[in-house]
Amino acid sequence: MDIEVEEIVLLGKDAIIQLALKKIKEAGLSTDEGISIANFTQIKVLTDGKEVWVSFSNPIKYLPKKTVFYFDIGVGLLEGTVSTNRVSNPEDYDEKKIPFYKETKETKMNIQFVLEAINESGEVGEIDIANFEDNMIIREYENYYDLSIVSESQESYYKIEKTSGKIYDSEHAHLVPPPNTGDEDKFKEINWD
């Protein structure tokens, strides 16, 4: 592990996250409302020994009609890089100022409805929200929710009727695992325990 990386790691997770938030603000991505850890459901600090990478993410992305948000952001502290993931509804929708996603009471209720519909259907498998590591995009439309779920081994697409919770237009594709390159310099989450 490089000396610069060791020095950063010694700061601890909370201090590293604050440094990353500062880099995001310096990059000019912060809107009037600003950005905080409250915008994200998962925050990980990773290293490959040469860089410290902070990953801010929302594995479940909910988009009301005609919206666009930054859901996931990665910050390389040593290189000063900031990468964003913007998602919109519809997919080609755009705005000049893109806000960071903030879950509201209404979006939380809609996400809960979608998860219950999935888990009660028996058609597309169940989702354990406490251990969810995949990527789910929920786009709201007038009468239904359009879902896209991507995991390491499968892509799934389907719609859920807003009133009944009925699942329809279900499609699944199995993904080929990436080749094993033997690359040992991959980023790994730092454990301070």
Side-chain angles (χ1 to χ4, degrees), residues 106-158:
E106 183 181 349
T107 59
K108 192 172 188 168
M109 284 180 10
N110 292 342
I111 290 169
Q112 190 61 38
F113 174 84
V114 166
L115 294 174
E116 286 173 8
I118 292 168
N119 289 341
E120 291 172 8
S121 75
E123 292 179 47
V124 291
E126 290 188 11
I127 293 178
D128 175 9
I129 192 67
N131 298 310
F132 189 75
E133 292 284 330
D134 300 335
N135 187 28
M136 177 189 297
I137 299 174
I138 305 168
R139 288 183 172 93
E140 179 184 10
Y141 289 90
E142 194 66 37
N143 300 313
Y144 65 93
Y145 299 104
D146 186 38
L147 272 75
S148 161
I149 302 173
V150 179
S151 70
E152 204 171 290
S153 62
Q154 181 172 301
E155 285 182 337
S156 298
Y157 303 94
Y158 44 90

Side-chain angles (χ1 to χ4, degrees), residues 14 32 39 45 58 68 71 84 87 90 100 103 108 112 114 121 123 136-137 142 145 166 169 178 187-189:
D14 292 340
D32 294 339
N39 296 97
V45 180
N58 289 291
V68 59
F71 281 96
T84 59
V87 184
F100 292 100
E103 190 172 79
K108 192 172 188 168
Q112 190 61 38
V114 166
S121 75
E123 292 179 47
M136 177 189 297
I137 299 174
E142 194 66 37
Y145 299 104
K166 181 181 183 282
D169 288 351
F187 280 90
K188 293 182 175 98
E189 190 168 2

Side-chain angles (χ1 to χ4, degrees), residues 25-57:
K25 290 174 186 171
E26 289 170 358
L29 294 173
S30 187
T31 61
D32 294 339
E33 297 171 13
I35 182 172
S36 74
I37 59 172
N39 296 97
F40 306 97
T41 56
Q42 285 184 0
I43 302 174
K44 295 180 180 179
V45 180
L46 309 111
T47 187
D48 65 351
K50 296 176 178 72
E51 174 65 280
V52 176
W53 186 261
V54 183
S55 170
F56 298 91
S57 66

